[in-house]
Amino acid sequence: MPRWKKILYALLVTAALVAGGLFGWTFLHRPDTCAEGVERIGDECVGVNGEGYDFGIPEISGVARAIAQENKRIGKDPHVTVAMMLPLQAGSEALRRQIRSDLQGAYLGQLQANEGEGEPPKIRLVLANPGREYAHQAPVVDTLLRMARSPEDRLRAVTGFNLSLDATTKAVAGLTAQKIPVLASRITGDGIANEEGLDAVARPKFPGLARIIPTNHEVARALAAFTGGQDREDRRTVLVHDTRQDSYNESLAKAFDSIEEKGPAGPAEMSFTSPAIDEAGSTGNQFTQIANNICSSEADTVYFAGRTLHLRLFALKLAEVRCVKRHYTIISGSDAASLRQYMSADDWDKLRGTDGEAKVTVQYAAPAHPAAWETELTAWRKEWRERHDREPTAKELPQYLAEPKAALDRLRNLIDTARRAGTDLGAPPSLEDSRTMLVYDGMVTIGTALHQVQSGPAEKVPGLEEVGQEWVRLNAQHRVAGTSGLICLTGGGNPYDKPVAVVELDPGRKGEGTLKYVGLGWPAGTPQPKNCVIPSRTP
């Protein structure tokens, strides 16, 4: 064979081997996708999808399909994309139900924002899964940044955010640093909030961040004002808190610790360490020791700064301690709104003891409760009639009660309309734990901002900064009537004097315990002013 043919043959063989090697490497190393836009990382499916993918969680299959159907319905209308970012996979049934409640609120809020002809743009909703405890938030944030720059996706806001963790803070910081507006509907940690004041507002920590839920500091103030915490004797209270790194636990512990009480000093704070949000680890043993130590003191009120799973275990251990004729009240934060879902028949029996009397009750500050507005309006009307000897007119009703009541009625009508239309949401939405209400309010707030900034031709898409700058104008005449209360945003994008619903978990005398609405707590000590005009000096 001529030399030149040998060389050519060798080159062809080499090229074939290289090509084959590259193909094999690509085949072996290409991303393992769960669905379009969603990559498998370990045992999780992480990414962004708005086409009905349920991330392998049957509980959310129905609502994921419903969102995809609404996206398809408005596909030819002028629209923008909003991402719902929160962990969408969980091992426990209780957590999967919570995720479903969140997504039901997002879907119903999308319907309300897209209702009727209305002002453009419509909202296309996508689901963004950052993995358990937001562990894989970085690649998801990168995807959302690309979607914000994309003329097809036109991402204009990110909402959701249900856990106050360091990884959540990084996700919010990564988005807002690139001018992506963020509307946090369910995180209470003080570390994920902008400060107030001229200097802070001019240089915000998270530019374009808005929240519709009070911080833990505000929750503690509202609880103290409602329950008379400032008048409680120090010797009768004790703080129990989780030392695991968790922004929610940390800020709630500091908030409870800041409540000023009277009289001699009570028992020192008591700590425990949990392995994770949804893992018990050795906390049961730790709680047994803590409960015994509390029994040795005069304390009968416990401020608990920890997650729902651990709150349940602590309440049960406290009920087991043989303290003669001692009734305990545990006071906790918004995460406790899901506590009832974790309770079994045996749990209720343990909380009430052998004599049928409640040994432990739990009070917590829920961000909302479906019974709040009707209950408060009934009491207000009764007092009005006694003072004026007549029924109040609609205009005489207090806005801070009447407008949220009307918003809740609209949400219930939406739920009823979806039911009559045969829309599969996985299960009938339950408003009791406030999740559906809060996420719905977040979507309605985003829809309000989008419609406010829209001007000119319908095809014109509002810019990212336009949407982010609109948050601070949603007060006074542009307040948002939320099912959880009036949403009146400050210069820092924080809700002014947003009420919390004080709820009590009472085991009763037999059977399943009840979740009872007790009343409203206001961070400022009094209800929001008329028309929600924010005062120049806020407490």
Side-chain angles (χ1 to χ4, degrees):
M1 181 184 295
R3 186 169 180 271
W4 65 270
K5 286 187 177 182
K6 291 182 180 179
I7 295 174
L8 178 60
Y9 178 77
L11 289 173
L12 289 173
V13 170
T14 302
L17 290 173
V18 169
L22 287 173
F23 175 81
W25 186 93
T26 302
F27 179 79
L28 293 172
H29 293 82
R30 67 182 178 183
D32 182 6
T33 57
C34 302
E36 183 179 352
V38 182
E39 180 182 351
R40 188 179 303 280
I41 301 179
D43 63 345
E44 296 185 274
C45 291
V46 175
V48 182
N49 183 279
E51 309 304 320
Y53 178 59
D54 65 6
F55 293 83
I57 303 299
E59 285 85 348
I60 69 171
S61 295
V63 67
R65 286 193 300 269
I67 290 170
Q69 289 167 3
E70 176 65 6
N71 289 343
K72 184 177 180 180
R73 186 186 73 82
I74 58 96
K76 294 182 180 179
D77 296 327
H79 67 272
V80 298
T81 299
V82 173
M84 176 75 178
M85 185 174 181
L86 77 165
L88 292 172
Q89 294 174 295
S92 76
E93 185 179 348
L95 285 176
R96 293 196 297 270
R97 287 198 302 265
Q98 292 172 27
I99 294 169
R100 181 175 61 204
S101 292
D102 287 336
L103 297 190
Q104 288 172 339
Y107 167 69
L108 294 165
Q110 179 190 23
L111 288 186
Q112 180 62 34
N114 291 345
E115 187 180 49
E117 297 302 319
E119 289 293 325
K122 306 289 188 183
I123 290 178
R124 169 179 173 257
L125 182 61
V126 297
L127 307 182
N129 181 27
R132 295 185 188 92
E133 299 190 19
Y134 293 80
H136 303 296
Q137 55 83 23
V140 175
V141 167
D142 287 343
T143 298
L144 296 176
L145 294 179
R146 288 194 297 272
M147 291 176 67
R149 295 190 292 266
S150 164
E152 290 78 26
D153 290 311
R154 301 183 295 278
L155 179 78
R156 288 299 176 266
V158 182
T159 188
F161 301 105
N162 61 338
L163 296 173
S164 300
L165 305 170
D166 288 347
T168 318
T169 305
K170 290 178 181 177
V172 172
L175 291 165
T176 56
Q178 298 299 320
K179 311 295 185 184
I180 309 294
V182 170
L183 191 289
S185 54
R186 289 196 42 249
I187 44 177
T188 58
D190 294 75
I192 312 178
N194 288 324
E195 296 182 3
E196 301 295 339
L198 287 177
D199 291 339
V201 169
R203 290 178 292 277
K205 181 179 179 182
F206 304 102
L209 168 67
R211 318 165 40 98
I212 62 168
I213 187 171
T215 62
N216 282 328
H217 177 72
E218 293 170 315
V219 166
R221 281 194 352 216
L223 276 172
F226 181 84
T227 63
Q230 297 94 334
D231 299 323
R232 194 173 282 124
E233 293 183 84
D234 196 354
R235 66 186 178 86
R236 303 286 297 275
T237 69
V238 61
L239 170 63
V240 175
H241 66 101
D242 192 347
T243 60
R244 177 178 55 80
Q245 192 172 26
D246 182 316
S247 300
Y248 170 83
N249 296 336
E250 292 167 1
S251 62
L252 187 59
K254 289 178 181 177
F256 282 148
D257 192 50
S258 69
I259 297 175
E260 295 183 4
E261 297 169 325
K262 62 182 183 181
E269 51 87 19
M270 302 182 188
S271 65
F272 67 96
T273 305
S274 68
I277 288 175
D278 55 354
E279 293 180 26
S282 66
T283 53
N285 292 333
Q286 298 176 61
F287 289 150
T288 297
Q289 298 173 53
I290 291 173
N292 286 328
N293 288 340
I294 292 174
C295 182
S296 299
S297 73
E298 296 181 79
D300 56 16
T301 299
V302 181
Y303 293 112
F304 186 88
R307 295 289 182 173
T308 304
L309 175 70
H310 310 114
L311 172 59
R312 169 186 165 272
L313 291 174
F314 175 72
L316 295 175
K317 290 295 182 182
L318 196 58
E320 290 175 0
V321 174
R322 297 184 181 278
C323 282
V324 180
K325 294 183 179 180
R326 181 87 65 90
H327 173 268
Y328 291 104
T329 299
I330 303 173
I331 297 176
S332 195
S334 62
D335 198 68
S338 303
L339 178 60
R340 193 167 185 265
Q341 297 181 19
Y342 286 83
M343 301 293 289
S344 67
D346 287 343
D347 292 343
W348 294 116
D349 288 339
K350 289 178 182 177
L351 290 189
R352 71 175 60 96
T354 56
D355 58 359
E357 295 291 332
K359 297 188 69 176
V360 176
T361 56
V362 179
Q363 283 190 350
Y364 61 86
H369 192 279
W373 312 118
E374 186 60 47
T375 303
E376 296 295 332
L377 275 170
T378 299
W380 188 93
R381 285 191 181 98
K382 180 181 178 182
E383 185 180 340
W384 172 277
R385 286 194 299 267
E386 291 173 352
R387 287 190 288 112
H388 297 84
D389 198 28
R390 66 176 176 84
E391 289 290 333
T393 66
K395 289 185 177 180
E396 289 170 328
L397 295 176
Q399 295 168 323
Y400 62 85
L401 298 178
E403 291 182 9
K405 168 65 166 55
L408 182 59
D409 289 343
R410 284 193 295 273
L411 173 57
R412 284 177 166 146
N413 286 337
L414 274 175
I415 293 172
D416 191 49
T417 299
R419 179 189 59 78
R420 292 198 308 269
T423 305
D424 176 18
L425 298 180
S430 172
L431 306 182
E432 190 178 70
D433 67 359
S434 76
R435 290 174 177 271
T436 297
M437 294 170 65
L438 260 291
V439 178
Y440 169 86
D441 285 353
M443 289 296 295
V444 170
T445 302
I446 291 171
T448 302
L450 287 169
H451 297 158
Q452 293 281 8
V453 301
Q454 181 64 44
S455 61
E459 293 75 17
K460 180 180 180 293
V461 177
L464 290 168
E465 291 191 67
E466 287 181 286
V467 178
Q469 291 168 357
E470 184 62 25
W471 301 141
V472 301
R473 289 186 276 276
L474 297 182
N475 57 64
Q477 291 300 314
H478 299 292
R479 63 189 178 276
V480 178
T483 64
S484 58
L486 294 182
I487 297 166
C488 320
L489 298 181
T490 65
N494 301 304
Y496 173 67
D497 199 21
K498 182 80 181 298
V500 298
V502 181
V503 179
E504 183 172 279
L505 191 74
D506 188 349
R509 296 188 64 86
K510 63 179 181 178
E512 188 172 313
T514 59
L515 192 62
K516 181 173 63 178
Y517 169 76
V518 181
L520 290 179
W522 302 89
T526 57
Q528 294 154 317
K530 185 177 180 180
N531 291 332
C532 220
V533 176
I534 301 173
S536 60
R537 292 191 183 92
T538 57

PDB file of all heavy atoms in Angstrom, residues 109-131:
ATOM      1  N   GLY A 109     -54.446  31.898  42.776  1.00  0.00           N
ATOM      2  CA  GLY A 109     -53.989  33.280  42.612  1.00  0.00           C
ATOM      3  C   GLY A 109     -53.734  33.621  41.153  1.00  0.00           C
ATOM      4  O   GLY A 109     -53.995  34.748  40.712  1.00  0.00           O
ATOM      5  N   GLN A 110     -53.206  32.660  40.402  1.00  0.00           N
ATOM      6  CA  GLN A 110     -53.013  32.859  38.960  1.00  0.00           C
ATOM      7  C   GLN A 110     -54.361  33.099  38.282  1.00  0.00           C
ATOM      8  O   GLN A 110     -54.495  34.015  37.445  1.00  0.00           O
ATOM      9  CB  GLN A 110     -52.326  31.637  38.346  1.00  0.00           C
ATOM     10  CG  GLN A 110     -52.097  31.745  36.841  1.00  0.00           C
ATOM     11  CD  GLN A 110     -51.641  30.422  36.222  1.00  0.00           C
ATOM     12  OE1 GLN A 110     -51.884  29.351  36.773  1.00  0.00           O
ATOM     13  NE2 GLN A 110     -50.974  30.508  35.076  1.00  0.00           N
ATOM     14  N   LEU A 111     -55.375  32.306  38.639  1.00  0.00           N
ATOM     15  CA  LEU A 111     -56.714  32.491  38.067  1.00  0.00           C
ATOM     16  C   LEU A 111     -57.253  33.878  38.379  1.00  0.00           C
ATOM     17  O   LEU A 111     -57.815  34.555  37.511  1.00  0.00           O
ATOM     18  CB  LEU A 111     -57.673  31.440  38.620  1.00  0.00           C
ATOM     19  CG  LEU A 111     -57.533  29.988  38.153  1.00  0.00           C
ATOM     20  CD1 LEU A 111     -58.681  29.153  38.701  1.00  0.00           C
ATOM     21  CD2 LEU A 111     -57.482  29.893  36.638  1.00  0.00           C
ATOM     22  N   GLN A 112     -57.096  34.304  39.641  1.00  0.00           N
ATOM     23  CA  GLN A 112     -57.614  35.615  40.035  1.00  0.00           C
ATOM     24  C   GLN A 112     -56.892  36.734  39.279  1.00  0.00           C
ATOM     25  O   GLN A 112     -57.515  37.683  38.806  1.00  0.00           O
ATOM     26  CB  GLN A 112     -57.441  35.811  41.547  1.00  0.00           C
ATOM     27  CG  GLN A 112     -57.933  37.142  42.093  1.00  0.00           C
ATOM     28  CD  GLN A 112     -59.427  37.337  41.890  1.00  0.00           C
ATOM     29  OE1 GLN A 112     -60.195  36.396  41.943  1.00  0.00           O
ATOM     30  NE2 GLN A 112     -59.839  38.579  41.656  1.00  0.00           N
ATOM     31  N   ALA A 113     -55.563  36.625  39.146  1.00  0.00           N
ATOM     32  CA  ALA A 113     -54.797  37.652  38.437  1.00  0.00           C
ATOM     33  C   ALA A 113     -55.153  37.687  36.955  1.00  0.00           C
ATOM     34  O   ALA A 113     -55.103  38.750  36.328  1.00  0.00           O
ATOM     35  CB  ALA A 113     -53.296  37.398  38.609  1.00  0.00           C
ATOM     36  N   ASN A 114     -55.508  36.531  36.392  1.00  0.00           N
ATOM     37  CA  ASN A 114     -55.837  36.452  34.964  1.00  0.00           C
ATOM     38  C   ASN A 114     -57.328  36.608  34.685  1.00  0.00           C
ATOM     39  O   ASN A 114     -57.766  36.466  33.549  1.00  0.00           O
ATOM     40  CB  ASN A 114     -55.381  35.098  34.391  1.00  0.00           C
ATOM     41  CG  ASN A 114     -53.879  34.966  34.331  1.00  0.00           C
ATOM     42  OD1 ASN A 114     -53.157  35.947  34.444  1.00  0.00           O
ATOM     43  ND2 ASN A 114     -53.397  33.744  34.179  1.00  0.00           N
ATOM     44  N   GLU A 115     -58.100  36.877  35.727  1.00  0.00           N
ATOM     45  CA  GLU A 115     -59.562  36.859  35.615  1.00  0.00           C
ATOM     46  C   GLU A 115     -60.075  37.869  34.592  1.00  0.00           C
ATOM     47  O   GLU A 115     -59.624  39.008  34.537  1.00  0.00           O
ATOM     48  CB  GLU A 115     -60.199  37.155  36.968  1.00  0.00           C
ATOM     49  CG  GLU A 115     -61.708  36.989  36.992  1.00  0.00           C
ATOM     50  CD  GLU A 115     -62.276  37.298  38.367  1.00  0.00           C
ATOM     51  OE1 GLU A 115     -61.916  38.354  38.916  1.00  0.00           O
ATOM     52  OE2 GLU A 115     -63.066  36.491  38.888  1.00  0.00           O
ATOM     53  N   GLY A 116     -61.067  37.449  33.788  1.00  0.00           N
ATOM     54  CA  GLY A 116     -61.746  38.331  32.849  1.00  0.00           C
ATOM     55  C   GLY A 116     -60.813  38.923  31.816  1.00  0.00           C
ATOM     56  O   GLY A 116     -59.725  38.434  31.541  1.00  0.00           O
ATOM     57  N   GLU A 117     -61.282  40.012  31.234  1.00  0.00           N
ATOM     58  CA  GLU A 117     -60.475  40.692  30.221  1.00  0.00           C
ATOM     59  C   GLU A 117     -59.309  41.397  30.897  1.00  0.00           C
ATOM     60  O   GLU A 117     -58.164  41.215  30.561  1.00  0.00           O
ATOM     61  CB  GLU A 117     -61.346  41.683  29.444  1.00  0.00           C
ATOM     62  CG  GLU A 117     -62.464  41.011  28.659  1.00  0.00           C
ATOM     63  CD  GLU A 117     -61.948  39.985  27.674  1.00  0.00           C
ATOM     64  OE1 GLU A 117     -60.928  40.246  27.016  1.00  0.00           O
ATOM     65  OE2 GLU A 117     -62.568  38.916  27.565  1.00  0.00           O
ATOM     66  N   GLY A 118     -59.607  42.217  31.911  1.00  0.00           N
ATOM     67  CA  GLY A 118     -58.569  42.845  32.717  1.00  0.00           C
ATOM     68  C   GLY A 118     -57.498  43.558  31.926  1.00  0.00           C
ATOM     69  O   GLY A 118     -57.490  43.596  30.715  1.00  0.00           O
ATOM     70  N   GLU A 119     -56.578  44.157  32.643  1.00  0.00           N
ATOM     71  CA  GLU A 119     -55.423  44.797  32.019  1.00  0.00           C
ATOM     72  C   GLU A 119     -54.347  43.742  31.780  1.00  0.00           C
ATOM     73  O   GLU A 119     -54.142  42.877  32.618  1.00  0.00           O
ATOM     74  CB  GLU A 119     -54.876  45.900  32.922  1.00  0.00           C
ATOM     75  CG  GLU A 119     -55.758  47.132  33.024  1.00  0.00           C
ATOM     76  CD  GLU A 119     -55.842  47.887  31.715  1.00  0.00           C
ATOM     77  OE1 GLU A 119     -54.843  47.923  30.983  1.00  0.00           O
ATOM     78  OE2 GLU A 119     -56.917  48.419  31.413  1.00  0.00           O
ATOM     79  N   PRO A 120     -53.652  43.816  30.653  1.00  0.00           N
ATOM     80  CA  PRO A 120     -52.533  42.890  30.458  1.00  0.00           C
ATOM     81  C   PRO A 120     -51.404  43.299  31.396  1.00  0.00           C
ATOM     82  O   PRO A 120     -51.426  44.409  31.917  1.00  0.00           O
ATOM     83  CB  PRO A 120     -52.165  43.106  28.991  1.00  0.00           C
ATOM     84  CG  PRO A 120     -52.621  44.503  28.683  1.00  0.00           C
ATOM     85  CD  PRO A 120     -53.827  44.733  29.525  1.00  0.00           C
ATOM     86  N   PRO A 121     -50.420  42.450  31.607  1.00  0.00           N
ATOM     87  CA  PRO A 121     -50.273  41.123  31.016  1.00  0.00           C
ATOM     88  C   PRO A 121     -50.886  40.035  31.894  1.00  0.00           C
ATOM     89  O   PRO A 121     -51.069  40.213  33.085  1.00  0.00           O
ATOM     90  CB  PRO A 121     -48.755  40.973  30.958  1.00  0.00           C
ATOM     91  CG  PRO A 121     -48.285  41.719  32.179  1.00  0.00           C
ATOM     92  CD  PRO A 121     -49.226  42.872  32.367  1.00  0.00           C
ATOM     93  N   LYS A 122     -51.182  38.886  31.275  1.00  0.00           N
ATOM     94  CA  LYS A 122     -51.598  37.704  32.013  1.00  0.00           C
ATOM     95  C   LYS A 122     -50.354  37.049  32.626  1.00  0.00           C
ATOM     96  O   LYS A 122     -49.218  37.386  32.285  1.00  0.00           O
ATOM     97  CB  LYS A 122     -52.299  36.703  31.089  1.00  0.00           C
ATOM     98  CG  LYS A 122     -53.465  37.266  30.295  1.00  0.00           C
ATOM     99  CD  LYS A 122     -54.661  37.560  31.170  1.00  0.00           C
ATOM    100  CE  LYS A 122     -55.872  37.922  30.319  1.00  0.00           C
ATOM    101  NZ  LYS A 122     -57.046  38.281  31.140  1.00  0.00           N
ATOM    102  N   ILE A 123     -50.599  36.108  33.523  1.00  0.00           N
ATOM    103  CA  ILE A 123     -49.489  35.428  34.203  1.00  0.00           C
ATOM    104  C   ILE A 123     -49.399  33.970  33.757  1.00  0.00           C
ATOM    105  O   ILE A 123     -50.375  33.212  33.851  1.00  0.00           O
ATOM    106  CB  ILE A 123     -49.662  35.490  35.733  1.00  0.00           C
ATOM    107  CG1 ILE A 123     -49.449  36.922  36.237  1.00  0.00           C
ATOM    108  CG2 ILE A 123     -48.690  34.533  36.433  1.00  0.00           C
ATOM    109  CD1 ILE A 123     -49.657  37.086  37.730  1.00  0.00           C
ATOM    110  N   ARG A 124     -48.231  33.602  33.265  1.00  0.00           N
ATOM    111  CA  ARG A 124     -47.886  32.195  33.025  1.00  0.00           C
ATOM    112  C   ARG A 124     -47.091  31.752  34.243  1.00  0.00           C
ATOM    113  O   ARG A 124     -46.112  32.388  34.629  1.00  0.00           O
ATOM    114  CB  ARG A 124     -47.038  32.075  31.765  1.00  0.00           C
ATOM    115  CG  ARG A 124     -46.399  30.694  31.552  1.00  0.00           C
ATOM    116  CD  ARG A 124     -45.588  30.671  30.266  1.00  0.00           C
ATOM    117  NE  ARG A 124     -44.843  29.423  30.119  1.00  0.00           N
ATOM    118  CZ  ARG A 124     -43.533  29.302  30.341  1.00  0.00           C
ATOM    119  NH1 ARG A 124     -42.817  30.361  30.712  1.00  0.00           N
ATOM    120  NH2 ARG A 124     -42.930  28.136  30.174  1.00  0.00           N
ATOM    121  N   LEU A 125     -47.503  30.679  34.872  1.00  0.00           N
ATOM    122  CA  LEU A 125     -46.894  30.232  36.123  1.00  0.00           C
ATOM    123  C   LEU A 125     -46.031  29.002  35.886  1.00  0.00           C
ATOM    124  O   LEU A 125     -46.457  28.051  35.221  1.00  0.00           O
ATOM    125  CB  LEU A 125     -47.989  29.912  37.141  1.00  0.00           C
ATOM    126  CG  LEU A 125     -47.560  29.460  38.538  1.00  0.00           C
ATOM    127  CD1 LEU A 125     -46.742  30.538  39.238  1.00  0.00           C
ATOM    128  CD2 LEU A 125     -48.793  29.103  39.374  1.00  0.00           C
ATOM    129  N   VAL A 126     -44.804  29.024  36.400  1.00  0.00           N
ATOM    130  CA  VAL A 126     -43.923  27.856  36.319  1.00  0.00           C
ATOM    131  C   VAL A 126     -43.500  27.448  37.722  1.00  0.00           C
ATOM    132  O   VAL A 126     -43.458  28.276  38.643  1.00  0.00           O
ATOM    133  CB  VAL A 126     -42.671  28.132  35.445  1.00  0.00           C
ATOM    134  CG1 VAL A 126     -43.073  28.423  34.011  1.00  0.00           C
ATOM    135  CG2 VAL A 126     -41.828  29.264  36.016  1.00  0.00           C
ATOM    136  N   LEU A 127     -43.204  26.176  37.889  1.00  0.00           N
ATOM    137  CA  LEU A 127     -42.776  25.630  39.170  1.00  0.00           C
ATOM    138  C   LEU A 127     -41.267  25.454  39.164  1.00  0.00           C
ATOM    139  O   LEU A 127     -40.710  24.862  38.237  1.00  0.00           O
ATOM    140  CB  LEU A 127     -43.467  24.290  39.432  1.00  0.00           C
ATOM    141  CG  LEU A 127     -45.000  24.280  39.327  1.00  0.00           C
ATOM    142  CD1 LEU A 127     -45.543  22.900  39.663  1.00  0.00           C
ATOM    143  CD2 LEU A 127     -45.613  25.347  40.210  1.00  0.00           C
ATOM    144  N   ALA A 128     -40.613  25.967  40.203  1.00  0.00           N
ATOM    145  CA  ALA A 128     -39.152  25.911  40.294  1.00  0.00           C
ATOM    146  C   ALA A 128     -38.763  25.162  41.566  1.00  0.00           C
ATOM    147  O   ALA A 128     -38.992  25.654  42.674  1.00  0.00           O
ATOM    148  CB  ALA A 128     -38.567  27.328  40.304  1.00  0.00           C
ATOM    149  N   ASN A 129     -38.183  23.981  41.382  1.00  0.00           N
ATOM    150  CA  ASN A 129     -37.787  23.154  42.527  1.00  0.00           C
ATOM    151  C   ASN A 129     -36.292  23.294  42.800  1.00  0.00           C
ATOM    152  O   ASN A 129     -35.464  22.840  42.000  1.00  0.00           O
ATOM    153  CB  ASN A 129     -38.126  21.685  42.252  1.00  0.00           C
ATOM    154  CG  ASN A 129     -37.760  20.793  43.436  1.00  0.00           C
ATOM    155  OD1 ASN A 129     -37.729  21.240  44.572  1.00  0.00           O
ATOM    156  ND2 ASN A 129     -37.490  19.527  43.161  1.00  0.00           N
ATOM    157  N   PRO A 130     -35.898  23.901  43.941  1.00  0.00           N
ATOM    158  CA  PRO A 130     -34.488  24.060  44.278  1.00  0.00           C
ATOM    159  C   PRO A 130     -33.930  22.908  45.115  1.00  0.00           C
ATOM    160  O   PRO A 130     -32.812  22.998  45.628  1.00  0.00           O
ATOM    161  CB  PRO A 130     -34.489  25.351  45.099  1.00  0.00           C
ATOM    162  CG  PRO A 130     -35.799  25.298  45.828  1.00  0.00           C
ATOM    163  CD  PRO A 130     -36.772  24.603  44.907  1.00  0.00           C
ATOM    164  N   GLY A 131     -34.703  21.839  45.275  1.00  0.00           N
ATOM    165  CA  GLY A 131     -34.242  20.715  46.077  1.00  0.00           C
ATOM    166  C   GLY A 131     -34.575  20.891  47.551  1.00  0.00           C
ATOM    167  O   GLY A 131     -34.998  21.956  47.996  1.00  0.00           O
TER     168      GLY A 131
END
